[in-house]
Amino acid sequence: MVGKNRSMQQAIERYCFSPLLCAALLLQCNYRESDSLASYTFSPPPGNEKVYQFTDRYFMLIPGDTAMFYGTRCCTLLVNGSLASAVQDSSFFRTITAQPTGLLVNGKNQPVYPQCYQQAAFRDQLDSNSILRYFMKTDTAILHCAYEDHGVLTHVPDGRQKVVPALFDVGSFATSPTSSNSWLTTLLVPDPFPIAAGHSWITGQSVCTRAVAQQSMPVYTCNGVDYRNGIQIMSYYALDGQSTEEGNRFDFIGTFVIDRKYFKNAGLVDETMNLAVEKKLPDNTVEIIKETTIHQRGPEGARIYPDTAALSLP
């Protein structure tokens, strides 16, 4: 039994904290999105529900700006319907924005904003768990052009670059999808993420159909700090693929749902991420991995990171 429990422990560590699956999805997919303009209006549509139109500073790219988030991660492994193991740990997440630089995008040298994304179970390990992402602003959207991981630069395909539109048209509750409140988007992780001797597919959609803490709503409080004028963005992803373990090929399929809240002149304030993956082994054993990660912005807010130069950012 001890050997079996150790095997289960190794399995959950392998699938919840390694780059093969969960770490590739979660350790490097958290992000504080980018910029926008500076106006805020709303107009009442037919009926009783307000619709808000946003072109404001909810997605910021300010060189030197740093945001620190604190949270927790819980992961469980079920084998053939029975709970085999569970792991819970702390989670720290930090973003650092560097000075604008040039990057070759679609054959042209374009101005981009590099952002360093760091996440680890311990705060003193953040610097050793980093990925550099490049964002570009256009008149209509914020684009995730490329990422650099362990010195390898990868360009995101054209059709999957959009992170957010420049204009949001959202309602207090569910509204009909429009070109501004519903868009295709890529996970901010290597896509497809690394799978040894296999492949994976990810498709996703984000929607912004809720206003949070507007003038007529209660103030939103996080870690003792009050925020007003915010929006809630939900992202839904489907993933499936094949990989190998100890020479045996297996199939996996799953979902990844992210709930984030952003506020004027503050950016991302909190997020909840839920990952569920089903893995079928050659002997017909079925393993289900479920992982939840929660992050909240600390009371210190965003500030200039003192060691930006030491990170060798562009």
Side-chain angles (χ1 to χ4, degrees):
M1 181 63 70
V2 173
K4 182 178 181 181
N5 288 340
R6 178 56 184 162
S7 177
M8 294 301 181
Q9 180 68 23
Q10 289 173 340
I12 195 166
E13 290 174 352
R14 186 161 56 246
Y15 291 105
C16 290
F17 297 101
S18 79
L20 280 180
L21 188 58
C22 298
L25 283 167
L26 297 179
L27 284 180
Q28 299 176 343
C29 76
N30 304 285
Y31 61 98
R32 178 167 177 252
E33 286 102 337
S34 336
D35 111 305
S36 57
L37 307 176
S39 66
Y40 163 76
T41 61
F42 72 91
S43 57
N48 298 323
E49 182 179 310
K50 293 180 180 178
V51 170
Y52 299 86
Q53 294 180 346
F54 299 100
T55 55
D56 217 317
R57 289 174 59 90
Y58 292 86
F59 303 89
M60 298 181 293
L61 288 169
I62 301 175
D65 179 63
T66 298
M68 175 68 78
F69 299 82
Y70 307 85
T72 185
R73 170 182 291 157
C74 178
C75 188
T76 59
L77 171 66
L78 291 87
V79 178
N80 292 334
S82 299
L83 180 64
S85 184
V87 173
Q88 183 168 336
D89 207 344
S90 57
S91 180
F92 294 87
F93 167 48
R94 178 168 63 192
T95 64
I96 307 169
T97 305
Q99 294 291 333
T101 186
L103 184 71
L104 192 66
V105 180
N106 299 330
K108 297 181 180 179
N109 190 50
Q110 303 281 3
V112 296
Y113 289 84
Q115 281 190 326
C116 183
Y117 287 68
Q118 304 174 328
Q119 187 172 332
F122 301 95
R123 185 167 181 167
D124 60 2
Q125 295 178 352
L126 284 171
D127 288 334
S128 60
N129 293 276
S130 300
I131 186 169
L132 189 61
R133 308 192 182 282
Y134 296 93
F135 296 93
M136 182 172 67
K137 296 186 292 184
T138 71
D139 292 338
T140 60
I142 306 300
L143 304 180
H144 178 216
C145 304
Y147 58 87
E148 186 174 341
D149 190 9
H150 294 91
V152 178
L153 179 66
T154 302
H155 290 268
V156 178
D158 291 353
R160 300 186 61 85
Q161 290 182 358
K162 184 180 290 187
V163 179
V164 295
L167 172 68
F168 289 99
D169 179 10
V170 305
S172 299
F173 300 97
T175 59
S176 299
T178 69
S179 59
S180 58
N181 72 10
S182 179
W183 62 94
L184 291 173
T185 184
T186 180
L187 284 169
L188 292 186
V189 294
D191 182 13
F193 57 88
I195 292 292
H199 68 266
S200 64
W201 301 97
I202 301 176
T203 58
Q205 184 85 7
S206 289
V207 295
C208 179
T209 56
R210 286 185 65 89
V212 183
Q214 299 303 317
Q215 286 88 334
S216 59
M217 303 176 188
V219 173
Y220 186 85
T221 301
C222 179
N223 286 327
V225 180
D226 292 339
Y227 297 92
R228 188 178 285 280
N229 292 339
I231 52 179
Q232 180 181 19
I233 295 178
M234 299 288 292
S235 299
Y236 305 89
Y237 300 94
L239 56 145
D240 65 87
Q242 293 181 334
S243 187
T244 57
E245 177 184 299
E246 298 177 353
N248 296 316
R249 182 174 292 274
F250 62 87
D251 298 320
F252 63 87
I253 189 169
T255 58
F256 191 33
V257 180
I258 310 173
D259 179 359
R260 293 186 171 111
K261 298 181 182 67
Y262 303 88
F263 288 81
K264 180 178 179 179
N265 297 326
L268 178 65
V269 168
D270 65 17
E271 65 181 1
T272 299
M273 299 177 290
N274 289 292
L275 173 69
V277 177
E278 179 179 300
K279 169 186 165 187
K280 187 174 182 180
L281 302 176
D283 63 359
N284 290 325
T285 297
V286 176
E287 296 182 355
I288 297 177
I289 301 100
K290 294 184 177 181
E291 182 164 348
T292 298
T293 303
I294 299 173
H295 288 126
Q296 290 187 332
R297 176 174 290 220
E300 67 270 20
R303 57 186 179 184
I304 301 299
Y305 183 57
D307 301 323
T308 301
L311 293 174
S312 300
L313 296 178

